[in-house]
Amino acid sequence: MIRRTTTLLLVVMLALQPMHEALAQATGAASTPPQAFNVRDADLRAFIEDVARATGTTFIVDPRVQGTVNYSNDAPLSESDLIGVLLTILRANGLVAVPAGPATYRVVPDDTAAQQARTAGGDALGFATEVIPLRQVDARIAAETVKPLVGRGGVVIATPQGNSLLVADYADNLRRIRGLIASIDSDRATIDTVTLRNSSASEIAATVNGLFGTGGEGGNAALSVLPVASSNSIVVRGDPTLIQRVVQMILELDRRAESTGDVHVMMLQHASAEQLLPVLQQLVGQPSDGGAGTTAGATAVPVDGQAQVIAATPGKRPTIVRAPGQNALIINADPETQRTLVDVIKQLDVRRQQVLVEAIVVEISDDAARELGVQIAAANRDGVPFGTTQFRREGVPGITELAAGALLDEDSELAETARRAALQSLLGLTGGLAGIAGSAGDTLFGLVINAAKSDTGSNLLSTPSIMTLDNEPARILVGQEVPVTSGEVLGDNNANPFRTVERQDVGIQLEVTPQINAGGGITLQLRQEVSSIAGPVSADSDELVLNKREVETRVLVDNGAIVVLGGLLDQADRNSVDKVPLLGDIPLLGNLFRSSARSRKKTNLMVFIRPTIVGGPADAQRITAPRYDYMRDAQLQLDDGKQREAALDVLVRDYLRTQPPVAPAAPGAGSGTP
């Protein structure tokens, strides 16, 4: 019954509307009283069918469409108005009519409207999609702002690539969103630049940022303050009213700085005032005095060949001195020159990096020698030799000394000297010695055979290391000062003899000057020396022979890399034969008149270097801790485990009153991250 009533009312209303309009035009009457149009608790799907019949429009209804209609209107409606009423009723029920062709709509729930295909155009109350480009505002921020304003089935997607928004919603709401975005996507901020004359741009910018709370999280986003160091200016951006206040405050601070005086004391934190003073003096054209500084009243006149980089105010020359006893500089200059010098000092007064230089010197040598010789002597009973063969070598007794000591048995001074020489010869024996002696009438004879073989090997390993600042020379010496005769004067008739002695360093020396490059490499100017005492020149001399290995070079090494500086691979073979002419060439028998020796000497020497950049306290701790542990473990090993605590730990705790160094934890350790 309700459906028939609704249809009848729609048909009568549409039929009476043209007649009412024609009659009004013909008679000039104002209007006919509107026909009543009331629908109560009508089925929504039936209402859609009635509107379709009355307007000739096709509606494709989704099976999920359900609901009732309550509508009342006293005015006659046209077909377009009736469709508008239907779209409004659908929207109130969470439904939308999506255009699907000429005079055709698809009625679906509005939560799926954005995924439905549609044709171009459509009713103002229908669902539409639009791409809105942005010029000033970031698309992601705009999307978060607009999302609460779209309907239940609306969609807002930010496209950062083109900085635009993709919005799908009802057409009328889409128009409202477009207008809102147009209001947001505009820049009303003012930009102003303030050039300072007496203050530092970075200091003033920090003051303004702290006062207005800009730059940090939760700060004032309406104001931006940026210092420009190259021109000592400040750029401000924000609301025009706020910018005016900020600019006035900056100018006032700069004006007040002019009245603070021309003398500024700069306390240095990392740089050396003594090393920095000559550089600053050269910048302003002040003659350098070797780093001692000048008095405030000294006249600074540029010297020839000294470039003045910083131009001062005409008629006023800047003066820079160092405060004795303090790591500070005193600057007497006009505000502009003073500001420039302070900026230069701040850039130079930074924490410098350090370099740990570790060297490894490896020397392996092997000496082998073999000797075999025969010596013969014959003499009468009076001890006067009349025949002998003797081959002098180091460590081999001479047969003449042995024979003289054995033959002379009287108590004369000559006999005592001969016996002492024979004993000394035997004490210096190297290898084996065997012989025979006898007599035939008044003739005495003797034969001595000596044989020796030696093989000496050595393995020298030294690891000097030193830490120094970047571009600072360093030197380490572990050794002794050995006296070396540099001169000797006997005087007239040895009346007043004297000798001059110099002491020479003998041991391991490392001299290095590192330079850290911008690319991460390290340039090393170094000198590595390893020296030792080889012994006296001879048994009769007190002069010493010194072994010396030295490398002096300039190399480029990557941080933490090991590189070889130089080395020596040396092998020397020596064969020698001493013999009596003709007799030594006789087969077999010639061995009695011959002495042979063979020696071989091999030396392998290599020097390695490894520099490591130490950037801060954590790097220093990371390098110190394992070396400390190495020395502590070495102490515990010497005690065979009897001592529970190393003496090094006790000394650090009781004397230095601190804890032993511990390597810092690696980044991410203990946080559960892989």
Side-chain angles (χ1 to χ4, degrees):
M1 182 63 183
I2 295 176
R3 178 176 178 182
R4 292 179 180 178
T5 304
T6 303
T7 304
L8 179 60
L9 289 174
L10 292 175
V11 172
V12 171
M13 182 177 58
L14 293 175
L16 292 177
Q17 182 178 355
M19 296 175 61
H20 173 72
E21 294 176 355
L23 182 60
Q25 294 177 0
T27 61
S31 63
T32 303
Q35 301 295 325
F37 182 48
N38 296 314
V39 179
R40 299 296 180 185
D41 296 328
D43 182 67
L44 179 59
R45 298 176 68 90
F47 185 77
I48 294 174
E49 293 178 5
D50 293 339
V51 173
R53 293 192 188 96
T55 61
T57 304
T58 302
F59 292 94
I60 304 172
V61 183
D62 189 274
R64 292 170 292 178
V65 175
Q66 300 292 334
T68 58
V69 178
N70 291 290
Y71 179 74
S72 176
N73 185 24
D74 295 335
L77 298 175
S78 63
E79 293 184 2
S80 60
D81 293 338
L82 187 57
I83 293 178
V85 170
L86 175 60
L87 295 179
T88 303
I89 293 174
L90 293 176
R91 184 171 177 177
N93 286 270
L95 304 171
V96 64
V98 181
T104 304
Y105 290 90
R106 183 184 297 107
V107 181
V108 296
D110 59 3
D111 57 354
T112 62
Q115 289 79 32
Q116 298 296 324
R118 62 184 60 84
T119 59
D123 194 274
L125 296 177
F127 218 82
T129 303
E130 186 173 346
V131 176
I132 305 175
L134 303 175
R135 293 178 301 174
Q136 304 292 338
V137 183
D138 185 80
R140 288 166 292 191
I141 299 177
E144 294 296 327
T145 305
V146 173
K147 271 183 181 180
L149 303 179
V150 299
R152 188 182 68 171
V155 176
V156 179
I157 300 176
T159 57
Q161 294 80 1
N163 196 41
S164 58
L165 290 180
L166 176 63
V167 184
D169 202 353
Y170 293 100
D172 57 345
N173 197 33
L174 192 58
R175 285 193 300 269
R176 184 169 62 92
I177 291 175
R178 189 187 310 112
L180 179 62
I181 292 177
S183 301
I184 297 175
D185 190 28
S186 61
D187 188 7
R188 302 186 185 90
T190 300
I191 299 178
D192 199 353
T193 303
V194 184
T195 302
L196 305 179
R197 297 180 56 85
N198 309 304
S199 306
S200 171
S202 58
E203 293 180 359
I204 297 297
T207 302
V208 174
N209 285 328
L211 180 62
F212 289 91
T214 62
E217 184 178 355
N220 187 2
L223 178 64
S224 298
V225 181
L226 298 176
V228 182
S230 59
S231 60
N232 195 40
S233 304
I234 297 179
V235 180
V236 291
R237 178 183 181 275
D239 182 79
T241 304
L242 182 59
I243 289 299
Q244 186 177 3
R245 292 172 49 200
V246 172
V247 169
Q248 291 299 326
M249 186 185 65
I250 293 175
L251 294 176
E252 177 66 18
L253 292 175
D254 188 50
R255 185 187 64 79
R256 291 178 179 271
E258 185 178 5
S259 61
T260 57
D262 295 339
V263 179
H264 182 76
V265 178
M266 192 73 181
M267 301 296 297
L268 303 181
Q269 298 181 0
H270 305 286
S272 171
E274 184 177 0
Q275 297 178 355
L276 197 57
L277 178 61
V279 178
L280 299 177
Q281 289 177 337
Q282 186 174 359
L283 288 177
V284 299
Q286 177 184 348
S288 177
D289 52 6
T294 59
T295 60
T299 302
V301 180
V303 297
D304 295 337
Q306 189 173 24
Q308 182 175 350
V309 179
I310 300 176
T313 302
K316 186 173 184 179
R317 295 189 179 276
T319 303
I320 309 171
V321 297
R322 177 172 62 91
Q326 299 186 37
N327 192 33
L329 294 172
I330 303 175
I331 304 173
N332 182 16
D334 61 274
E336 182 66 21
T337 303
Q338 185 180 121
R339 179 194 61 79
T340 305
L341 290 174
V342 170
D343 288 344
V344 172
I345 293 173
K346 286 183 177 179
Q347 296 182 48
L348 296 177
D349 187 25
V350 295
R351 182 186 180 98
R352 296 168 63 183
Q353 291 181 312
Q354 302 181 93
V355 179
L356 174 65
V357 181
E358 301 169 287
I360 300 178
V361 182
V362 184
E363 181 178 354
I364 302 174
S365 62
D366 184 14
D367 297 339
R370 290 188 301 173
E371 296 180 2
L372 178 62
V374 178
Q375 301 182 62
I376 303 174
N380 59 18
R381 295 226 176 236
D382 295 333
V384 179
F386 65 88
T388 180
T389 61
Q390 181 168 292
F391 306 105
R392 284 289 188 180
R393 296 187 185 281
E394 183 179 358
V396 178
I399 192 171
T400 54
E401 290 88 351
L402 295 177
L407 294 176
L408 299 177
D409 53 357
E410 67 265 9
D411 295 333
S412 64
E413 183 178 355
L414 178 61
E416 181 64 24
T417 303
R419 283 191 292 268
R420 190 181 301 112
L423 179 61
Q424 188 70 27
S425 180
L426 288 174
L427 292 176
L429 174 66
T430 299
L433 182 68
I436 58 175
S439 61
D442 293 337
T443 302
L444 300 175
F445 62 89
L447 180 145
V448 174
I449 301 175
N450 64 283
K453 181 180 180 181
S454 64
D455 192 353
T456 303
S458 63
N459 183 1
L460 174 63
L461 179 66
S462 57
T463 57
S465 62
I466 190 170
M467 182 180 291
T468 180
L469 285 172
D470 181 25
N471 281 312
E472 289 291 339
R475 177 175 181 265
I476 184 174
L477 168 64
V478 180
Q480 298 174 322
E481 287 189 346
V482 177
V484 178
T485 301
S486 59
E488 186 175 4
V489 178
L490 299 179
D492 297 336
N493 298 323
N494 293 333
N496 188 21
F498 67 90
R499 176 183 297 178
T500 59
V501 177
E502 293 182 355
R503 294 191 175 272
Q504 183 174 344
D505 294 332
V506 176
I508 300 173
Q509 298 186 58
L510 175 62
E511 300 177 5
V512 61
T513 302
Q515 176 184 333
I516 302 175
N517 303 327
I522 305 172
T523 301
L524 298 176
Q525 178 70 44
L526 56 86
R527 176 178 173 269
Q528 171 73 63
E529 177 183 318
V530 178
S531 56
S532 60
I533 302 175
V537 176
S538 63
D540 300 333
S541 175
D542 295 334
E543 300 297 333
L544 299 177
V545 176
L546 302 180
N547 295 328
K548 190 174 183 179
R549 292 114 176 127
E550 180 179 353
V551 176
E552 186 171 358
T553 183
R554 183 181 179 91
V555 295
L556 176 63
V557 190
D558 290 334
N559 180 29
I562 300 177
V563 66
V564 61
L565 295 182
L568 172 66
L569 303 179
D570 183 27
Q571 179 173 342
D573 295 333
R574 180 179 179 183
N575 296 326
S576 61
V577 176
D578 296 332
K579 61 182 179 179
V580 177
L582 300 179
L583 296 178
D585 297 330
I586 300 175
L588 298 179
L589 186 60
N591 291 328
L592 298 176
F593 305 94
R594 183 169 57 231
S595 176
S596 61
R598 177 180 298 175
S599 63
R600 183 190 64 192
K601 183 177 182 180
K602 295 178 64 176
T603 302
N604 295 336
L605 174 65
M606 288 291 171
V607 180
F608 302 91
I609 201 78
R610 180 178 184 261
T612 304
I613 298 176
V614 182
D619 289 344
Q621 196 81 349
R622 189 177 297 109
I623 290 175
T624 303
R627 289 160 176 78
Y628 182 92
D629 294 341
Y630 177 83
M631 298 303 296
R632 176 174 54 193
D633 294 341
Q635 286 186 340
L636 294 176
Q637 290 177 3
L638 290 177
D639 294 334
D640 295 331
K642 298 178 181 179
Q643 187 176 358
R644 294 184 178 181
E645 187 176 8
L648 185 59
D649 287 343
V650 176
L651 186 64
V652 169
R653 186 188 66 249
D654 297 341
Y655 181 73
L656 300 181
R657 299 184 182 278
T658 185
Q659 296 298 322
V662 179
S671 60
T673 58

